Amino acid sequence: METETTDVATVLAACVQVYAARRIAVEAIDAVELRDGRIPGGRLHGIMAREDNKIEVVIPRDADLSLYPATFDGFSRAGWDVWALVPTELMGSAHRHLRGVQITPQPWWESGTDVSFGRPELP
């Protein structure tokens, strides 16, 4: 879907800028297929900051949040600090679907051509 791709690309670019300002190298993650434990889902888009031992995943506005827990758990079990960048309007749903998953949800929203990030929340 073009809207999802545009939203994800815009948020990823803003995320990369935050790390660039801190002079921390990041790698793109876009080849991981989400799995809910039974069936494959969509593809995951995010960044990996090895220096911070952190993975940040952008959740698109039209995401099926039930597909994320198994993949996030896998990253956590591998020792990564996992953050889910969630559209503000999906934060309530993210808290319901991702309860018990070792992640830090953080809201994002667009203001004109800029992307803003809210405060990280407790899972």
Side-chain angles (χ1 to χ4, degrees):
M1 171 177 262
E2 190 169 324
T3 303
E4 173 189 328
T5 304
T6 302
D7 289 347
V8 168
T10 302
V11 176
L12 280 174
C15 190
V16 168
Q17 286 180 339
V18 170
Y19 280 94
R22 294 177 50 213
R23 297 189 174 153
I24 295 176
V26 296
E27 302 168 40
I29 302 172
D30 60 7
V32 176
E33 189 171 308
L34 291 168
R35 295 191 176 276
D36 69 356
R38 299 179 309 276
I39 58 169
R43 296 187 82 107
L44 179 134
H45 303 281
I47 57 99
M48 177 186 299
R50 291 185 188 276
E51 187 176 327
D52 282 356
N53 195 47
K54 191 175 189 182
I55 289 177
E56 296 197 28
V57 175
V58 178
I59 308 290
R61 286 187 170 97
D62 62 351
D64 178 351
L65 289 165
S66 70
L67 296 175
Y68 288 81
T71 302
F72 286 168
D73 276 339
F75 288 145
S76 285
R77 282 193 307 274
W80 290 99
D81 181 15
V82 182
W83 287 44
L85 305 178
V86 182
T88 300
E89 63 270 19
L90 294 183
M91 285 300 287
S93 183
H95 280 289
R96 279 191 306 281
H97 286 284
L98 302 174
R99 180 166 295 151
V101 178
Q102 293 289 80
I103 62 146
T104 301
Q106 182 175 19
W108 66 265
W109 63 91
E110 291 176 294
S111 330
T113 59
D114 295 328
V115 173
S116 296
F117 297 98
R119 297 185 84 155
E121 298 186 8
L122 295 173

